[in-house]
Amino acid sequence: GYSAVFGIRQFALAALETTRAQPAASCVGDCNGDGSVTVDDLLTMVNIALGTADVSACEAGDTNRDGQITIDEILSAVNVALTSCPAA
């Protein structure tokens, strides 16, 4: 509901300063390749990090290609969600 979305937004805003210094090489977190990062994409990445989904569900989130999603990769995706995917 609203409180969950508000909580994600507050987390995202707090994380923005951390991720601003990390330039995105591609559209980090765009799990379905539609050119944007949505809350659904972020939740998919969190589920992968928690071990409840396979990394194949969001290969765009695994920026270092180590077969897992880490907090820094989630934060990079949050930054993209708050701004936009970089131009190709």
Side-chain angles (χ1 to χ4, degrees), residues 17-55:
E17 289 305 313
T18 303
T19 59
R20 225 180 262 277
Q22 302 172 3
S26 64
C27 194
V28 178
D30 180 13
C31 299
N32 61 4
D34 68 355
S36 66
V37 177
T38 64
V39 171
D40 287 340
D41 293 323
L42 295 173
L43 291 175
T44 297
M45 290 181 67
V46 168
N47 286 331
I48 295 167
L50 293 173
T52 60
D54 189 82
V55 73

Side-chain angles (χ1 to χ4, degrees), residues 6-20 75 78-79 82:
F6 182 76
I8 290 172
R9 180 167 170 73
Q10 291 302 102
F11 171 78
L13 291 174
L16 183 58
E17 289 305 313
T18 303
T19 59
R20 225 180 262 277
L75 292 176
V78 167
N79 185 41
L82 292 174

